Amino acid sequence: GQQLNQSPQSMFIQEGEDVSMNCTSSSIFNTWLWYKQDPGEGPVLLIALYKAGELTSNGRLTAQFGITRKDSFLNISASIPSDVGIYFCAGQLRGSSNTGKLIFGQGTTLQVKP
Amino acid sequence: NAGVTQTPKFQVLKTGQSMTLQCAQDMNHNSMYWYRQDPGMGLRLIYYSASEGTTDKGEVPNGYNVSRLNKREFSLRLESAAPSQTSVYFCASSEDRVTKAFFGQGTRLTVV
């Protein structure tokens, strides 16, 4: 089936550093979403992207919808300890807009050292 | 501000037992989903319901059934639980065409 490749799988960084993660696919997507999951909780939406080339920020987070519509990246600037968690990309395939069905990447586990 | 509510939060089942996971949303969303989350595999779609009265299979539907009881509620049933169904189950909802899916807190299921 369709698959999103998310990388890196994990990151261990120093507080204050910037973080970058991305998702790629061989399929074309209409929508890209980025979620964060804290331990024991459900994923929480961070950023939604709806147009190719779109660049959107949410505080220290910035995400972009790739021009080819097959990829997206998420950047976190000046990381802080509460950024710890698992970050997921999710995409809606072209042609599935009447269902809202999403495909998820495998997740990037972020650890921040104070 | 409840959003998506799942019950129970934790459950242990013996192999062969049945159970139903409940999900309700108060955001008047048309679409609802059930995902399972396993280590290193992200979230995989089990079943979804694009609107009240309709349900469709997702990526991993085997061993599960669902019921869209009304617009608010979408339940997931395991008729005969197997150890391979040990997982964390998430319910989510979204509006049509606007795919911001909102998730519940999850049900942690262990089948022994």
Side-chain angles (χ1 to χ4, degrees), chain A residues 31 33 35 37 40-43 45 48 50 88 92 97-102 104-106, chain B residues 31 33 35 37 40-43 45 48 50 90 94 97-101 103-105 108:
Chain A
T31 301
L33 305 173
Y35 286 87
Q37 185 179 28
E41 302 289 331
L45 183 66
Y50 298 106
F88 290 100
Q92 183 189 53
S97 60
N98 62 333
T99 66
K101 198 168 58 167
L102 295 173
F104 280 79
Q106 302 96 326
Chain B
S31 298
Y33 316 85
Y35 290 88
Q37 183 177 26
M41 301 190 75
L43 286 89
L45 184 64
Y48 66 99
F90 287 101
S94 71
R97 301 180 181 274
V98 179
T99 55
K100 294 181 183 179
F103 285 81
Q105 288 197 307
R108 283 144 187 83

Side-chain angles (χ1 to χ4, degrees), chain B residues 13-21 46-47 61-67 75-82 85 89 109 111:
Chain B
L13 289 178
K14 293 183 179 177
T15 297
Q17 284 186 317
S18 62
M19 81 159 294
T20 300
L21 281 64
I46 304 171
Y47 269 93
N62 291 343
Y64 306 95
N65 283 302
V66 290
S67 295
S75 63
L76 178 72
R77 182 160 179 84
L78 287 70
E79 290 291 350
S80 178
Q85 293 178 305
Y89 291 86
L109 177 66
V111 183

